[in-house]
Amino acid sequence: MVPGRLVLVSVVVLALVAPPALAGPGSAAAGAGAGVGPAAAAWVPPLSTRGRYIVDANGDRFKLRSGNWHGASGTWTGSGDPELDANHHAGENSGRVPLGLDRAPMSQIVAGFREIGVNSVRLPFSNEMLRDTRPVTDAAVAANPQLRGRTPLGVYDAVVAALTDADLAVILNNHTNTTRWCCGVDGNERWNASQSAAAWEDDWLFMARRYRANPRVVGADLYNEVRRSVWDDPNWGRGDAHDWFAASQRAGERILAEANPDLLIVVEGVNWVGIPVDGFFHERPTLAPARWLSHTLTTSGKLVYSAHFYDYTGPNHSGATSLGETSDPRYRDLSRAELHDVLYRQAMFVAAEAERHFTAPVWVSEFGVGGRAETGQKQRAWFGNFVDYLIATDADFAYWPLVGWHDDRTGNGWALLHWDRAGGRMGLYDGDDWRAADWTRLVGHAGRTGRVDPVPRWSMLSPDHGDFVQSARLRARPDWDPGARKAACPDGQRLAGLSHTGNRALCTDSGAPGLWPPSAGYEVVVDERHVPPGGDWASGYTKLQCPQGSFLVGYAVRGAAVSSALCAASGGAFPAGGRTVWFDRGDNRPAGARGGDFANGHYKGQCADDEYAAGIAYTGRLGSRRTPDALYCRKLR
């Protein structure tokens, strides 16, 4: 979120405080402006993904040209009387509802979004807001008297309805635990900072169910800017209470399985780890960890990754000024080429590299810059370079923020649309906002349009700390290997690769989607009963081989040791014969292997794209831990 400053309050204790409001020059009264955004194309919900693109129900590309309408998650800075405007970020008191409802009719605000080319809105909320039974003040909704007496959630309901009635897509965003301005060491650092993880998940189920009947509520943005608390960093895959990968994986699964199977699941990268002091480790990992550990949902085609970028932060810079500031460069200090290289490494590789286990759309769900008041050449150059990159990569985006206040054309200049106390609007296209040209280029860039054909899916299995069964069919059936950690491919995919150590695997539907018919069964294999006479493909090794006509979709481990193989019946026949792929002493994957590195730092074996895995071999001899040593790969046809 913008803008904020990271401040060091002791050698190891951090806090964020908001900077002074960005003021714009006071001049003539606001005009209505004239937008030049493209006409919204017809789209049919629900949304899903095909490779790096989001598509609608017809398979047509739906590019998120979004903005953030903040306020419901809170604007109070955390100190002083929350009723006083001065104690709210930039002096803008949202009154616990989306900003601007005190100054303009909701219909006018929503029309303004359409006018500037927005087709979707990221709508923040706090967990506290869901249980806040206090009616909003009349002042907070002065321009929308029909909302008087409602709770903040009731107002949020009305805003969602107004947006979707205008054919705008809405992405629900769990911004904070408590209703206050984000983002520092403020009790909102993690999804479970001021509440339990179970309460957080339950709140998401509540929200997903609440809007299930509204098909234009299209996404669940699980949590905003996961970051360090006073003592602890979040992580991506350690399996503890601070593991954002595990928490988002679980919450996304529950939302799709228990509440609303149509929603996109939006997972933001880790925003900050470490202590922002020169000499101490610190960085913004963003989505970089997804290269080595990516999400796999049971419902394929629902995952979207997201990232935030502002000029005043950097790949190793928190955005602090004075206390807590380090000597690391900010994004605005980088050359155009350096900036584009960093953006790729931190986030955009996820969308740019096709047919990898991590390939997914990347939604830059926050970026922005000061408007009329921003005279800094570095800031302006950064914004132009950043917009250039969004256009070049055809990225989905969401500007922060859409709505702000102004008085006599002076106020927090970050918003694209401002309203004064009398309801007068100061818009992006009123002739004196330097961002207008860049914004017009951005929303006017068509990018990829029309139908996006289905692409092969590649998925990682990571039973690092527990079961990783991504088959909805198998989740509904009894435990096939009690006490072991189990992993299974999403329905429609088959096992393609396995690691020698580390327990990870790769699944795909490449070349043969839907191999496991709904009417066909499966078998748990724990011995060599299906190895035919004369068919020893790994002499001296124990072979867990699937029966003829079946293929590997899962496996189980106890510690590092193979425990069982899970074979699904294809309902048909495969060609005879096969080959042994050894990976006990090095990688053994096809040249140019698709799927990516699914077990970084470990030896891996992978069948060819036109093959399926039919068996796993291991040895129990002295010195071995019964880890996988070979795959039996057979032709699909």
Side-chain angles (χ1 to χ4, degrees), residues 103-115:
R103 299 188 169 209
M106 192 159 40
S107 59
Q108 183 187 119
I109 295 174
V110 172
F113 299 164
R114 292 295 302 269
E115 181 183 316

Side-chain angles (χ1 to χ4, degrees), residues 483-570:
R485 300 196 317 281
K486 293 163 287 295
C489 298
D491 295 329
Q493 298 186 35
R494 66 187 186 278
L495 196 73
L498 197 60
S499 63
H500 176 55
T501 54
N503 299 315
R504 293 186 181 172
L506 182 70
C507 302
T508 188
D509 62 1
S510 177
L515 275 182
W516 186 19
S519 59
Y522 65 93
E523 180 179 342
V524 180
V525 178
V526 296
D527 54 32
E528 295 190 345
R529 68 185 64 192
H530 296 301
V531 180
D536 189 348
W537 49 273
S539 180
Y541 286 71
T542 300
K543 295 164 284 293
L544 306 183
Q545 182 173 333
C546 294
Q548 184 65 30
S550 294
F551 57 97
L552 279 168
V553 293
Y555 58 99
V557 294
R558 297 177 188 270
V562 177
S563 175
S564 63
L566 187 70
C567 301
S570 69

Side-chain angles (χ1 to χ4, degrees), residues 80-380:
D81 184 351
E83 299 302 318
L84 297 178
D85 294 352
N87 296 324
H88 290 253
H89 177 258
E92 295 177 338
N93 183 353
S94 71
R96 299 174 289 142
V97 299
L99 192 69
L101 297 179
D102 59 328
R103 299 188 169 209
M106 192 159 40
S107 59
Q108 183 187 119
I109 295 174
V110 172
F113 299 164
R114 292 295 302 269
E115 181 183 316
I116 62 173
V118 165
N119 68 6
S120 44
V121 171
R122 182 176 184 247
L123 195 61
F125 68 89
S126 74
N127 299 93
E128 181 183 358
M129 184 202 84
L130 307 185
R131 287 172 285 278
D132 190 344
T133 59
R134 298 170 297 155
V136 300
T137 64
D138 289 352
V141 291
N144 293 272
Q146 75 277 16
L147 302 179
R148 289 177 180 170
R150 295 198 186 193
T151 64
L153 181 56
V155 174
Y156 192 92
D157 289 339
V159 168
V160 168
L163 290 168
T164 57
D165 286 350
D167 205 30
L168 293 167
V170 171
I171 298 92
L172 310 174
N173 164 234
N174 186 192
H175 212 70
T176 52
N177 295 180
T178 61
T179 304
R180 60 169 292 179
W181 183 253
C182 174
C183 292
V185 181
D186 54 9
N188 294 305
E189 302 89 349
R190 297 187 310 274
W191 63 99
N192 58 353
S194 298
Q195 60 190 358
S196 69
W200 174 66
E201 291 176 13
D202 287 345
D203 283 350
W204 259 122
L205 296 181
F206 168 80
M207 289 294 276
R209 290 170 181 146
R210 189 175 187 87
Y211 303 109
R212 180 170 180 168
N214 187 338
R216 279 174 164 66
V217 176
V218 299
D221 185 349
L222 297 181
Y223 203 72
N224 181 73
E225 297 192 4
V226 173
R227 58 196 181 276
R228 181 184 175 88
S229 62
V230 172
W231 300 112
D232 298 301
D233 281 327
N235 67 80
W236 190 278
R238 294 181 186 171
D240 58 19
H242 300 155
D243 185 347
W244 175 229
F245 169 82
S248 52
Q249 174 79 32
R250 176 180 166 83
E253 294 282 14
R254 291 195 66 194
I255 289 168
L256 294 173
E258 302 176 37
N260 188 342
D262 290 334
L263 292 178
L264 296 173
I265 301 301
V266 182
V267 179
E268 188 180 333
V270 174
N271 194 63
W272 185 262
V273 294
I275 301 172
V277 176
D278 286 338
F280 288 81
F281 169 77
H282 52 266
E283 67 172 355
R284 297 184 69 240
T286 320
L287 291 172
R291 181 176 289 280
W292 315 120
L293 177 60
S294 62
H295 295 71
T296 297
L297 300 174
T298 56
T299 306
S300 297
K302 288 297 181 182
L303 175 68
V304 174
Y305 282 118
S306 73
H308 295 176
F309 295 101
Y310 292 103
D311 72 272
Y312 60 86
T313 58
N316 299 92
H317 202 300
S318 68
T321 57
S322 186
L323 291 175
E325 185 172 9
T326 63
S327 59
D328 305 287
R330 302 173 192 262
Y331 291 116
R332 67 184 179 224
D333 297 324
L334 304 178
S335 70
R336 177 189 175 89
E338 290 170 335
L339 174 64
H340 291 188
D341 179 65
V342 165
L343 295 174
Y344 183 92
R345 289 188 286 106
Q346 287 198 290
M348 301 311 293
F349 73 91
V350 171
E353 298 180 24
E355 295 192 294
R356 300 291 190 267
H357 62 82
F358 52 75
T359 305
V362 173
W363 183 36
V364 180
S365 55
E366 284 190 28
F367 75 103
V369 71
R372 291 164 172 82
E374 182 56 78
T375 59
Q377 291 305 304
K378 282 189 174 183
Q379 288 86 337
R380 291 191 173 200

